[in-house]
């Protein structure tokens, strides 16, 4: 079951039950608690998660901004997300804003989302930061914006200004469509303003990563040594251009061949894509298997990476999670990310399921469940630090992501 259907289905089930609103709040809604209880704050599970790490080197490389466009943020969302006549999009918005603890702040949603994120980051060890994503509009083949096909838009200026206002906690990533006439100029301006990466979601934004139209943008990315963090695999949570084939990991070879450092979000851990390497015999295989193929191609070493955000979601195959933990040779090429606010969507991650699969100690589950209600960022970090399959675990360097974003332009 994909993420979008899971969220909509869970919400519908709760609301259809007698006393549905109360059930939903108790079983699905994030209670958005504040300071950690002392017994949790001082728990060995949390202390041991930081052992061996320099917190100043730990950057969450995958964190989303959200809002309704209040307070001059410039955020826009598609009207479908505001209408109960479109229940999937409507409940998606409610869950995301609840996960970010901004759902009960009329007129101050955008500000409340940022304040909560600031407080969560403050609850991490000193030096920890998040890379906040801008999010580009959908564009057509001529490079013109299509607001009618855009699910939501987070302007570069908004992400940049938040990072400037809170430099102890936030960095930022720009989001620029490569087919824009001013795409390279916008990219150069973002770099001057301190952008640490570029964020794409090709199927929704209307970007074919294998198109020659991207070449000028790729050349600029390589010249500026700015990494591209791009979704690959299935994406149902964000609509838009509706081109799922553009999420095929194999279509990222064009960027890699131009010398771009590419981070495949979630390691393409969801869905299936066409195996384009087989020509007329092509058939659909798991997107993760195509990501794995790219990881084994020697010519991409030093340029191809993956982030481990969302890999613990219940709609991922456990075998994929096991592989990522066990492939210790990949760990120098994996980057820690949370995909915030998703860790705050309670139904999406089940510590008890991970216990049943032998990936987590039984004593960890109740601590993690309480921790998530107070600080989903810390929850995601501690959970991933304690995942095990046999003797294997994610290496420390997976979490110390800051050096990856230190630019060395030519």
């Amino acid at each position: 079951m994909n993420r979008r259907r899971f969220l909509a289905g869970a919400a519908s089930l709760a609301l259809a039950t007698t006393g549905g609103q109360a059930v939903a709040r108790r079983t699905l809604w994030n209670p958005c608690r504040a300071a950690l209880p002392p017994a949790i704050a001082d728990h060995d599970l949390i202390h041991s998660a930081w052992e061996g790490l320099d917190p100043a080197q730990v950057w969450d490389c995958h964190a989303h901004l959200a809002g309704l466009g209040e307070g001059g943020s410039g955020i826009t969302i598609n009207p479908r997300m505001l209408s109960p006549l479109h229940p999937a999009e409507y409940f998606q918005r409610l869950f995301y804003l609840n996960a970010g603890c901004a759902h009960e702040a009329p007129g101050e949603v955008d500000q409340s989302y940022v304040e909560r994120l600031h407080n969560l980051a403050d609850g991490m060890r000193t030096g920890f930061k998040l890379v906040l994503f801008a999010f580009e509009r959908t564009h057509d083949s001529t490079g013109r914006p299509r607001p009618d096909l855009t699910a939501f838009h987070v302007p570069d200026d908004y992400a940049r200004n938040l990072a400037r206002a809170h430099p102890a906690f936030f960095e930022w990533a720009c989001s620029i469509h490569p087919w824009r006439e001013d795409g390279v100029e916008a990219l150069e301006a973002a770099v001057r303003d301190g952008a640490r990466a570029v964020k794409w979601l090709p199927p929704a934004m209307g970007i074919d990563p294998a198109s020659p139209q991207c070449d000028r943008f790729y050349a600029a990315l390589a010249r500026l040594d700015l990494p591209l963090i791009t979704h690959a695999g299935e994406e149902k949570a964000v609509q838009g251009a509706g081109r799922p084939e553009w999420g095929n990991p194999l279509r990222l070879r064009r960027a890699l061949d131009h010398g771009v450092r590419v981070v495949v979000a979630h390691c393409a851990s969801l869905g299936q894509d066409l195996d384009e390497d087989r020509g007329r015999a092509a058939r659909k295989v798991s997107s993760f298997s195509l990501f794995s193929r790219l990881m084994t191609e020697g010519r991409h070493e030093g340029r191809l990476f993956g982030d481990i955000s969302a890999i613990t979601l219940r709609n991922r195959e456990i075998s994929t999670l096991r592989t990522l933990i066990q492939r210790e040779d990949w760990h120098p090429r994996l980057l820690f990310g949370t995909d915030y606010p998703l860790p705050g969507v309670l139904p999406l991650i089940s510590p008890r399921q991970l216990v049943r699969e032998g990936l987590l100690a039984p004593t960890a589950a109740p601590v993690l469940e309480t921790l998530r209600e107070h600080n989903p960022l810390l929850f995601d970090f501690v959970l991933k630090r304690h995942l095990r399959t046999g003797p294997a675990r994610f290496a420390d360097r997976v979490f110390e992501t800051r050096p990856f974003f230190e630019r060395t332009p030519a």
Side-chain angles (χ1 to χ4, degrees), residues 184-389:
V184 170
E185 292 75 18
L187 178 65
E188 292 172 337
V191 169
R192 289 194 297 271
D193 286 343
R196 295 291 186 170
V198 175
K199 166 61 178 174
W200 284 358
L201 203 167
M205 292 178 179
I207 301 169
D208 178 4
S211 169
Q213 286 182 267
C214 296
D215 287 352
R216 182 168 173 261
F217 196 82
Y218 289 154
L221 281 175
R223 169 172 54 85
L224 296 166
D225 192 31
L226 199 70
L228 171 64
I229 302 175
T230 181
H231 180 93
E234 184 177 8
E235 174 55 52
K236 293 291 187 180
V238 180
Q239 298 302 295
R243 297 299 299 266
E245 69 275 17
W246 289 352
N248 190 322
L250 299 182
R251 302 190 76 78
L252 295 170
R253 284 189 177 127
R254 192 174 194 98
L256 294 164
D257 290 342
H258 274 77
V260 178
R261 287 188 295 149
V262 176
V263 180
V264 178
H266 327 306
C267 296
S269 55
L270 182 65
Q272 294 185 325
D273 282 298
L274 199 65
D275 186 351
E276 297 176 350
D277 289 345
R278 295 174 61 88
R280 293 183 178 179
R283 59 183 179 83
K284 283 197 170 184
V285 298
S286 75
S287 305
F288 181 70
S289 71
L290 300 179
F291 168 76
S292 301
R293 183 184 304 168
L294 293 180
M295 289 289 278
T296 64
E297 294 177 351
R299 71 182 191 271
H300 302 320
E301 193 165 350
R303 293 195 298 276
L304 179 65
F305 303 82
D307 81 36
I308 63 169
S309 66
I311 61 170
T312 57
L313 268 59
R314 296 172 69 168
N315 59 1
R316 265 57 175 180
E317 295 290 338
I318 288 294
S319 60
T320 298
L321 181 55
R322 291 188 194 279
T323 298
L324 290 169
I325 297 171
Q326 292 170 341
R327 287 298 303 259
E328 295 178 345
D329 57 318
W330 287 2
H331 289 183
R333 301 164 67 186
L334 298 182
L335 303 169
F336 167 65
T338 64
D339 206 2
Y340 184 86
L342 289 189
V345 181
L346 299 190
L348 288 184
I349 303 172
S350 173
R352 294 181 189 275
Q353 178 194 16
L354 297 172
V355 169
R356 290 192 295 271
E357 295 291 347
L359 294 169
L360 194 64
T363 55
V367 178
L368 287 166
E369 288 170 349
T370 300
L371 175 59
R372 174 168 52 181
E373 294 182 355
H374 294 264
N375 191 328
L377 281 180
L378 186 56
F379 159 80
D380 190 87
F381 169 75
V382 173
L383 170 63
K384 288 170 179 169
R385 286 290 283 167
H386 287 285
L387 291 173
R388 300 286 190 278
T389 174

Side-chain angles (χ1 to χ4, degrees), residues 153-167:
H153 174 227
V154 179
D156 283 353
D157 288 354
Y158 182 55
R160 179 201 64 198
N161 292 343
L162 288 176
R164 285 178 172 175
H166 307 283

Side-chain angles (χ1 to χ4, degrees), residues 33-51:
R33 306 190 195 283
L36 291 176
I40 299 296
D42 294 331
H43 200 283
D44 180 65
L45 198 75
I46 294 177
H47 289 301
S48 60
W50 290 102
E51 288 180 0

